[in-house]
Every structure is written in C-alpha cells, then in structure tokens.
Amino acid sequence: VAGSDYVTLHAPYIKDVTHHLIGEALIKKMKPDASLLNFARGELVDEDALNARYEAGGGGRYITDFAVGPDLWPRTNVITIPHLGASTEEAEENAAAMAAETTALYLQTGTIRDSVNFPTTTLPARGDAVQRVCVVNENRPGMLGEILSVFGNAGINIVQQINTSRGDLAYNVIDIERLSSFEDVHFKSWDALQFLLTSIDGIKSTRYIHGTPSSAKHGGYAVNFQGQVFGIGSQYAPTLPSFGE
C-alpha cells in the first residue's frame, strides 16, 4: 500500500471480519496522492478515516459505485458511479438462464433451490419405475406421519423420501412405486388418492410427476384452500363412502 499509486478492493463484506478493511491505519500508510478504487462493498472503507485524510490535505481520488456519506459526497475528488453489476448484458443473460433452469428443474423433478421462502430440497433422480409426489404443508408435529400413512394405508410402497422445512412451511418429495393397475391397492385412481392426501388438515398443495426428468409429465396439481380441494381430484367429494369402491 505504501508504494502504490492505486489501491483497489476485491473482497466480500463480512461483518466483524472485513468491515472497514481500509481503515485509519492503512489509509495513513498510503501515498499522499494515491487513489482508492472500491467496486467491492461500501462498508469495506472507513469513510470517516478517508475524510480525515482529505481534511488534512491528502490528495488522490476515491472512486466507488456505492453511495457515500455527506462528508465525502461534496468532494470533487470523490467520484461515485452507478452500481450496474447486475444490469450488464452478460449478467441479465445469466440471470435469465438461471431462472429458466431453476424453474425447469422444479417442474421436472420437484427440486427447489435458490428460493426466497421455500427450503432447498434435492432428491436423487428417479427412474421410470417410480412416480414422484410433491407435498407442501404446514411445518408442525405429526404432519409427516399423516402424509406417509396415506400411502401405507393404500398399500403403496415408498421408495425414497425427503422432508425439509423453513419456518412454518415444510416441503416433501416422495417417490412411490409406479402401479400398472390399482387392483392391489385401496384406491381406484391417482386422483382419488391425491384428493385424500390434499384433504389432510395442514396440507397446502400436492403435485404428481410421472416419468424421468427428461420426459416428465405432470399428473396433477391440487391445493387445499380453507379446507376445500381445488384442482386435480377435486371432483371427488368427501361424502363418498370409500375411495376403494
């Protein structure tokens, strides 16, 4: 730093680690006419210490793409430029590709990643011999047992399963054996099974995915709103004496 004409910052901001990385001690070591370039994070620079340098007659420029405080803002040797890192052509193209890939992954496999309000959830790819069921439910004791008991009581084998949660929301991805017919189980259709599953108190939505990720077909989406099922399976009424009839 002591022999540099330009000092550039290339570090992440980590509280209590890189906060004011460029502080009073380091600023005093800089050449009187050295310039500081900060395109990393504004909090890396101690603005009070930098302003004190300029007040004492220090030269050089401070160039940054982050907002600065009222002491630095009026200075002619402080140059602030727009922070457009996410608005470049390359960044927008990459963001669009990532969004499309993430959406496709969810539709094809039920995988959730980079979500704001859902837990990250990944279950290994399934084969043609299974059918994937995705369930969104309230995160409370006993919910997972109720969900899995629907398949157990129906005589349907669960091949693999994952349960994740974030706050008051839980998400389940369940792989069950694909059935060639309904003769050996206690339901006469997937819609009937989905209706019972979605009707459970605390269930928010259910979704079926058939086939491999590359050939996924969506067997149905249903939601439970105020105790009533809407979507696939909603033609079944809870007054039916038995779904197995």
Side-chain angles (χ1 to χ4, degrees):
V1 171
S4 300
D5 293 318
Y6 295 91
V7 177
T8 65
L9 294 180
H10 308 275
Y13 176 70
I14 304 174
K15 188 177 181 180
D16 299 327
V17 178
T18 60
H19 183 73
H20 287 178
L21 180 66
I22 304 298
E24 181 180 3
L26 201 60
I27 288 175
K28 287 183 176 180
K29 294 180 180 179
M30 293 173 59
K31 295 173 63 174
D33 59 347
S35 292
L36 178 62
L37 284 71
N38 178 16
F39 305 117
R41 285 292 182 267
E43 299 90 338
L44 297 179
V45 176
D46 183 346
E47 292 190 2
D48 291 338
L50 185 61
N51 185 62
R53 165 189 168 90
Y54 295 142
E55 285 287 336
R61 297 181 182 274
Y62 177 48
I63 305 173
T64 182
D65 57 350
F66 294 93
V68 296
D71 291 333
L72 293 181
W73 174 256
R75 294 186 177 279
T76 57
N77 60 335
V78 174
I79 301 174
T80 58
I81 60 178
H83 183 77
L84 295 176
S87 297
T88 63
E89 182 176 347
E90 295 83 1
E92 291 187 351
E93 182 178 337
N94 291 336
M98 183 179 69
E101 180 184 352
T102 301
T103 301
L105 193 63
Y106 171 73
L107 292 175
Q108 294 171 352
T109 70
T111 295
I112 293 179
R113 69 182 186 190
D114 302 324
S115 174
V116 174
N117 51 7
F118 268 72
T120 298
T121 309
T122 303
L123 195 65
R126 65 199 183 283
D128 284 326
V130 302
Q131 176 175 336
R132 180 157 288 186
V133 183
C134 304
V135 182
V136 179
N137 59 275
E138 296 177 3
N139 183 25
R140 67 187 194 195
M143 284 300 305
L144 181 58
E146 288 190 62
I147 293 169
L148 299 183
S149 67
V150 171
F151 301 103
N153 293 338
I156 298 175
N157 183 46
I158 295 176
V159 178
Q160 61 177 351
Q161 179 266 342
I162 187 172
N163 169 264
T164 57
S165 63
R166 175 180 291 180
D168 59 358
L169 189 71
Y171 180 61
N172 295 273
V173 180
I174 305 166
D175 282 351
I176 58 178
E177 286 186 351
R178 179 183 293 276
L179 303 176
S180 57
S181 71
F182 289 84
E183 296 179 357
D184 298 327
V185 297
H186 306 305
F187 286 86
K188 61 181 181 180
S189 71
W190 289 118
D191 283 359
L193 177 63
Q194 185 176 16
F195 177 81
L196 182 61
L197 186 61
T198 313
S199 297
I200 296 175
D201 181 41
I203 296 294
K204 295 182 177 294
S205 68
T206 60
R207 185 166 69 101
Y208 286 173
I209 307 174
H210 304 270
T212 60
S214 60
S215 62
K217 297 180 180 179
H218 310 290
Y221 180 79
V223 298
N224 184 327
F225 180 70
Q226 295 182 347
Q228 186 174 352
V229 176
F230 296 89
I232 298 297
S234 61
Q235 68 269 31
Y236 290 88
T239 54
L240 286 176
S242 172
F243 289 114
E245 291 184 357

PDB file of all heavy atoms in Angstrom, residues 76-95:
ATOM      1  N   THR A  76     -14.791  17.061  -4.736  1.00  0.00           N
ATOM      2  CA  THR A  76     -14.569  16.892  -6.179  1.00  0.00           C
ATOM      3  C   THR A  76     -13.670  15.700  -6.495  1.00  0.00           C
ATOM      4  O   THR A  76     -13.680  15.204  -7.624  1.00  0.00           O
ATOM      5  CB  THR A  76     -13.941  18.170  -6.768  1.00  0.00           C
ATOM      6  OG1 THR A  76     -12.714  18.464  -6.078  1.00  0.00           O
ATOM      7  CG2 THR A  76     -14.895  19.352  -6.619  1.00  0.00           C
ATOM      8  N   ASN A  77     -12.889  15.257  -5.521  1.00  0.00           N
ATOM      9  CA  ASN A  77     -12.019  14.104  -5.768  1.00  0.00           C
ATOM     10  C   ASN A  77     -12.670  12.782  -5.367  1.00  0.00           C
ATOM     11  O   ASN A  77     -12.028  11.736  -5.383  1.00  0.00           O
ATOM     12  CB  ASN A  77     -10.691  14.258  -5.041  1.00  0.00           C
ATOM     13  CG  ASN A  77     -10.858  14.384  -3.531  1.00  0.00           C
ATOM     14  OD1 ASN A  77     -11.912  14.801  -3.054  1.00  0.00           O
ATOM     15  ND2 ASN A  77      -9.828  14.019  -2.788  1.00  0.00           N
ATOM     16  N   VAL A  78     -13.966  12.837  -4.998  1.00  0.00           N
ATOM     17  CA  VAL A  78     -14.734  11.619  -4.725  1.00  0.00           C
ATOM     18  C   VAL A  78     -15.706  11.422  -5.878  1.00  0.00           C
ATOM     19  O   VAL A  78     -16.575  12.268  -6.128  1.00  0.00           O
ATOM     20  CB  VAL A  78     -15.490  11.716  -3.383  1.00  0.00           C
ATOM     21  CG1 VAL A  78     -16.396  10.496  -3.201  1.00  0.00           C
ATOM     22  CG2 VAL A  78     -14.506  11.839  -2.228  1.00  0.00           C
ATOM     23  N   ILE A  79     -15.549  10.321  -6.578  1.00  0.00           N
ATOM     24  CA  ILE A  79     -16.360  10.044  -7.767  1.00  0.00           C
ATOM     25  C   ILE A  79     -17.218   8.808  -7.505  1.00  0.00           C
ATOM     26  O   ILE A  79     -16.686   7.718  -7.255  1.00  0.00           O
ATOM     27  CB  ILE A  79     -15.472   9.814  -9.004  1.00  0.00           C
ATOM     28  CG1 ILE A  79     -14.592  11.057  -9.257  1.00  0.00           C
ATOM     29  CG2 ILE A  79     -16.323   9.502 -10.221  1.00  0.00           C
ATOM     30  CD1 ILE A  79     -13.583  10.862 -10.374  1.00  0.00           C
ATOM     31  N   THR A  80     -18.521   9.008  -7.532  1.00  0.00           N
ATOM     32  CA  THR A  80     -19.441   7.869  -7.379  1.00  0.00           C
ATOM     33  C   THR A  80     -20.115   7.606  -8.712  1.00  0.00           C
ATOM     34  O   THR A  80     -20.566   8.529  -9.395  1.00  0.00           O
ATOM     35  CB  THR A  80     -20.507   8.149  -6.309  1.00  0.00           C
ATOM     36  OG1 THR A  80     -21.239   9.324  -6.660  1.00  0.00           O
ATOM     37  CG2 THR A  80     -19.864   8.348  -4.950  1.00  0.00           C
ATOM     38  N   ILE A  81     -20.160   6.355  -9.084  1.00  0.00           N
ATOM     39  CA  ILE A  81     -20.778   5.965 -10.354  1.00  0.00           C
ATOM     40  C   ILE A  81     -21.857   4.931 -10.077  1.00  0.00           C
ATOM     41  O   ILE A  81     -21.883   4.314  -9.006  1.00  0.00           O
ATOM     42  CB  ILE A  81     -19.720   5.396 -11.330  1.00  0.00           C
ATOM     43  CG1 ILE A  81     -19.043   4.162 -10.733  1.00  0.00           C
ATOM     44  CG2 ILE A  81     -18.682   6.460 -11.681  1.00  0.00           C
ATOM     45  CD1 ILE A  81     -18.028   3.508 -11.660  1.00  0.00           C
ATOM     46  N   PRO A  82     -22.795   4.721 -11.007  1.00  0.00           N
ATOM     47  CA  PRO A  82     -23.894   3.766 -10.783  1.00  0.00           C
ATOM     48  C   PRO A  82     -23.382   2.349 -10.568  1.00  0.00           C
ATOM     49  O   PRO A  82     -22.391   1.925 -11.174  1.00  0.00           O
ATOM     50  CB  PRO A  82     -24.731   3.862 -12.066  1.00  0.00           C
ATOM     51  CG  PRO A  82     -24.403   5.211 -12.618  1.00  0.00           C
ATOM     52  CD  PRO A  82     -22.969   5.451 -12.277  1.00  0.00           C
ATOM     53  N   HIS A  83     -24.057   1.652  -9.685  1.00  0.00           N
ATOM     54  CA  HIS A  83     -23.721   0.256  -9.409  1.00  0.00           C
ATOM     55  C   HIS A  83     -24.560  -0.617 -10.342  1.00  0.00           C
ATOM     56  O   HIS A  83     -25.710  -0.928 -10.057  1.00  0.00           O
ATOM     57  CB  HIS A  83     -24.026  -0.083  -7.947  1.00  0.00           C
ATOM     58  CG  HIS A  83     -23.640  -1.471  -7.543  1.00  0.00           C
ATOM     59  ND1 HIS A  83     -22.338  -1.836  -7.274  1.00  0.00           N
ATOM     60  CD2 HIS A  83     -24.379  -2.585  -7.363  1.00  0.00           C
ATOM     61  CE1 HIS A  83     -22.293  -3.113  -6.948  1.00  0.00           C
ATOM     62  NE2 HIS A  83     -23.519  -3.588  -6.994  1.00  0.00           N
ATOM     63  N   LEU A  84     -24.003  -1.020 -11.478  1.00  0.00           N
ATOM     64  CA  LEU A  84     -24.771  -1.704 -12.515  1.00  0.00           C
ATOM     65  C   LEU A  84     -24.290  -3.122 -12.768  1.00  0.00           C
ATOM     66  O   LEU A  84     -24.474  -3.662 -13.852  1.00  0.00           O
ATOM     67  CB  LEU A  84     -24.708  -0.906 -13.832  1.00  0.00           C
ATOM     68  CG  LEU A  84     -25.365   0.474 -13.803  1.00  0.00           C
ATOM     69  CD1 LEU A  84     -25.138   1.189 -15.124  1.00  0.00           C
ATOM     70  CD2 LEU A  84     -26.848   0.339 -13.531  1.00  0.00           C
ATOM     71  N   GLY A  85     -23.677  -3.720 -11.762  1.00  0.00           N
ATOM     72  CA  GLY A  85     -23.148  -5.061 -11.970  1.00  0.00           C
ATOM     73  C   GLY A  85     -24.194  -6.064 -12.407  1.00  0.00           C
ATOM     74  O   GLY A  85     -23.934  -6.952 -13.216  1.00  0.00           O
ATOM     75  N   ALA A  86     -25.425  -5.929 -11.879  1.00  0.00           N
ATOM     76  CA  ALA A  86     -26.482  -6.894 -12.214  1.00  0.00           C
ATOM     77  C   ALA A  86     -27.246  -6.512 -13.466  1.00  0.00           C
ATOM     78  O   ALA A  86     -28.143  -7.234 -13.891  1.00  0.00           O
ATOM     79  CB  ALA A  86     -27.456  -7.010 -11.043  1.00  0.00           C
ATOM     80  N   SER A  87     -26.901  -5.370 -14.061  1.00  0.00           N
ATOM     81  CA  SER A  87     -27.658  -4.902 -15.224  1.00  0.00           C
ATOM     82  C   SER A  87     -26.854  -4.962 -16.514  1.00  0.00           C
ATOM     83  O   SER A  87     -27.278  -4.427 -17.531  1.00  0.00           O
ATOM     84  CB  SER A  87     -28.136  -3.459 -14.972  1.00  0.00           C
ATOM     85  OG  SER A  87     -29.013  -3.412 -13.871  1.00  0.00           O
ATOM     86  N   THR A  88     -25.694  -5.577 -16.475  1.00  0.00           N
ATOM     87  CA  THR A  88     -24.938  -5.739 -17.711  1.00  0.00           C
ATOM     88  C   THR A  88     -25.619  -6.783 -18.588  1.00  0.00           C
ATOM     89  O   THR A  88     -26.411  -7.599 -18.117  1.00  0.00           O
ATOM     90  CB  THR A  88     -23.500  -6.176 -17.414  1.00  0.00           C
ATOM     91  OG1 THR A  88     -23.527  -7.471 -16.775  1.00  0.00           O
ATOM     92  CG2 THR A  88     -22.801  -5.188 -16.487  1.00  0.00           C
ATOM     93  N   GLU A  89     -25.303  -6.765 -19.846  1.00  0.00           N
ATOM     94  CA  GLU A  89     -25.912  -7.712 -20.782  1.00  0.00           C
ATOM     95  C   GLU A  89     -25.600  -9.155 -20.381  1.00  0.00           C
ATOM     96  O   GLU A  89     -26.471 -10.021 -20.417  1.00  0.00           O
ATOM     97  CB  GLU A  89     -25.389  -7.434 -22.193  1.00  0.00           C
ATOM     98  CG  GLU A  89     -26.005  -8.329 -23.261  1.00  0.00           C
ATOM     99  CD  GLU A  89     -25.544  -7.979 -24.657  1.00  0.00           C
ATOM    100  OE1 GLU A  89     -24.942  -6.888 -24.832  1.00  0.00           O
ATOM    101  OE2 GLU A  89     -25.769  -8.783 -25.581  1.00  0.00           O
ATOM    102  N   GLU A  90     -24.352  -9.382 -19.956  1.00  0.00           N
ATOM    103  CA  GLU A  90     -23.972 -10.739 -19.562  1.00  0.00           C
ATOM    104  C   GLU A  90     -24.710 -11.179 -18.300  1.00  0.00           C
ATOM    105  O   GLU A  90     -25.171 -12.331 -18.203  1.00  0.00           O
ATOM    106  CB  GLU A  90     -22.462 -10.807 -19.328  1.00  0.00           C
ATOM    107  CG  GLU A  90     -21.603 -10.582 -20.554  1.00  0.00           C
ATOM    108  CD  GLU A  90     -21.393  -9.105 -20.859  1.00  0.00           C
ATOM    109  OE1 GLU A  90     -21.914  -8.257 -20.102  1.00  0.00           O
ATOM    110  OE2 GLU A  90     -20.700  -8.805 -21.841  1.00  0.00           O
ATOM    111  N   ALA A  91     -24.814 -10.270 -17.315  1.00  0.00           N
ATOM    112  CA  ALA A  91     -25.475 -10.620 -16.057  1.00  0.00           C
ATOM    113  C   ALA A  91     -26.957 -10.918 -16.275  1.00  0.00           C
ATOM    114  O   ALA A  91     -27.499 -11.863 -15.700  1.00  0.00           O
ATOM    115  CB  ALA A  91     -25.314  -9.484 -15.043  1.00  0.00           C
ATOM    116  N   GLU A  92     -27.619 -10.107 -17.096  1.00  0.00           N
ATOM    117  CA  GLU A  92     -29.040 -10.337 -17.350  1.00  0.00           C
ATOM    118  C   GLU A  92     -29.259 -11.656 -18.101  1.00  0.00           C
ATOM    119  O   GLU A  92     -30.218 -12.375 -17.840  1.00  0.00           O
ATOM    120  CB  GLU A  92     -29.624  -9.170 -18.131  1.00  0.00           C
ATOM    121  CG  GLU A  92     -29.713  -7.885 -17.315  1.00  0.00           C
ATOM    122  CD  GLU A  92     -30.445  -6.784 -18.038  1.00  0.00           C
ATOM    123  OE1 GLU A  92     -30.736  -6.961 -19.243  1.00  0.00           O
ATOM    124  OE2 GLU A  92     -30.746  -5.751 -17.412  1.00  0.00           O
ATOM    125  N   GLU A  93     -28.364 -11.964 -19.015  1.00  0.00           N
ATOM    126  CA  GLU A  93     -28.465 -13.225 -19.752  1.00  0.00           C
ATOM    127  C   GLU A  93     -28.270 -14.414 -18.809  1.00  0.00           C
ATOM    128  O   GLU A  93     -29.017 -15.396 -18.860  1.00  0.00           O
ATOM    129  CB  GLU A  93     -27.429 -13.261 -20.873  1.00  0.00           C
ATOM    130  CG  GLU A  93     -27.494 -14.527 -21.721  1.00  0.00           C
ATOM    131  CD  GLU A  93     -26.495 -14.511 -22.859  1.00  0.00           C
ATOM    132  OE1 GLU A  93     -26.070 -13.412 -23.266  1.00  0.00           O
ATOM    133  OE2 GLU A  93     -26.135 -15.605 -23.358  1.00  0.00           O
ATOM    134  N   ASN A  94     -27.267 -14.307 -17.926  1.00  0.00           N
ATOM    135  CA  ASN A  94     -27.015 -15.384 -16.967  1.00  0.00           C
ATOM    136  C   ASN A  94     -28.162 -15.537 -15.981  1.00  0.00           C
ATOM    137  O   ASN A  94     -28.540 -16.662 -15.614  1.00  0.00           O
ATOM    138  CB  ASN A  94     -25.715 -15.126 -16.210  1.00  0.00           C
ATOM    139  CG  ASN A  94     -24.486 -15.259 -17.090  1.00  0.00           C
ATOM    140  OD1 ASN A  94     -24.529 -15.944 -18.112  1.00  0.00           O
ATOM    141  ND2 ASN A  94     -23.402 -14.604 -16.717  1.00  0.00           N
ATOM    142  N   ALA A  95     -28.730 -14.418 -15.530  1.00  0.00           N
ATOM    143  CA  ALA A  95     -29.847 -14.472 -14.588  1.00  0.00           C
ATOM    144  C   ALA A  95     -31.073 -15.115 -15.227  1.00  0.00           C
ATOM    145  O   ALA A  95     -31.780 -15.914 -14.598  1.00  0.00           O
ATOM    146  CB  ALA A  95     -30.191 -13.072 -14.093  1.00  0.00           C
TER     147      ALA A  95
END
